[in-house]
Amino acid sequence: MMEEDMKAILYTKEEVAARIQAMGEQLTRDYQGELPMVVGVLRGSFIFMADLVRCIQTPLELDFVAASSYGSWAVSTGKVEMRLDLEKEIMGRHVLLVEDILDTGRTLSKLVEELKKRHPASLKLCVLLDKPDRRVTEIEADYVGFTVPDEFVVGCGLDFNQKYRQLPYIGILKPSVYE
Ligand code: 5GP
Ligand code: MG
C-alpha cells in the first residue's frame, strides 16, 4: 500500500479540499469579470488545477505549459526549459499560472520570464504548496495553499518517479523510499 511509504500525512484529503475551496472563493472575487487564462504547469499541477477551477465561479479559460528541469530533485542543475507552449496568445490577458509546488523557484522563475515577454495584462502565481526554505530565486506566489517544511512531499499531483500523484492527501515520503 502506498500509505506505508509515507512518513507522515501533512494534510488530509478534507484539509486539502477545504483550502482549495477557500482559494477558489478568493480567486472568484479577484478575477470577477476578467476572463482569466488559467495556465497549468504539467504534469504536477493537473489535479490541483482540476480541483481549483471547479471552485472558481467566474468564467475562465484554460491552457497548459510544461517545463523540464535537468537533474534530479535533490541535485538540481538549475537549467529549466519550456517543453510545451501555450496554444493561444496571452497579450493583454490576465494570466494565472498554476503549479503544484514552489521549491527552489527555478521552474516558475523561468516560466514567468518567458510569459512576461508576451505582455499579459497581469501574471499571477498560484501554488498548492510553498517550500520557502529551498528558494534560490527571488519569487513569491500570489496564492499559496499551504507552506510546507523542507521535506519531500507527494500526493495531489506531486510525484516521486511518476508515482503517488493520485494520493488524495499530501504526505511526506519516507526517505527510505528514495534513498
Ligand atoms: P523548483 O523549480 O521550484 O525547484 O521546483 C519545481 C518542481 O520540483 C516542482 O514542480 C516539482 O515537480 C518538484 N518538487 C520540488 N519539491 C518537491 C517535493 O517536495 N515533492 C515533489 N514530489 N516534487 C517536488
Ligand atoms: Mg513539477
Side-chain angles (χ1 to χ4, degrees), residues 41-45 99-101 107 159 165:
V41 183
L42 293 173
R43 281 171 273 207
S45 72
E99 173 64 309
D100 53 0
I101 185 167
T107 308
D159 71 309
R165 289 195 199 275

Side-chain angles (χ1 to χ4, degrees), residues 143-158:
Y143 302 92
V144 173
F146 302 103
T147 300
V148 296
D150 185 7
E151 305 233 39
F152 194 79
V153 294
V154 293
C156 299
L158 290 118

Side-chain angles (χ1 to χ4, degrees), residues 68-79:
S68 68
S69 53
Y70 297 90
S72 64
W73 169 74
V75 198
S76 169
T77 61
K79 265 180 69 183

Side-chain angles (χ1 to χ4, degrees), residues 7 10 15 17 34 72 104-105 152 158:
K7 185 169 102 179
L10 269 186
E15 288 169 326
E34 289 187 332
S72 64
T104 65
F152 194 79
L158 290 118

Side-chain angles (χ1 to χ4, degrees), residues 16-30 48 52 55-56 96 125-129 142-146:
V16 170
R19 183 69 193 114
I20 294 175
Q21 175 65 38
M23 294 173 90
E25 286 167 14
Q26 178 75 50
L27 290 162
T28 300
R29 289 192 290 275
D30 293 357
F48 172 46
L52 183 69
C55 297
I56 299 176
L96 181 69
L125 299 181
C126 179
V127 297
L128 177 59
L129 306 176
D142 300 280
Y143 302 92
V144 173
F146 302 103

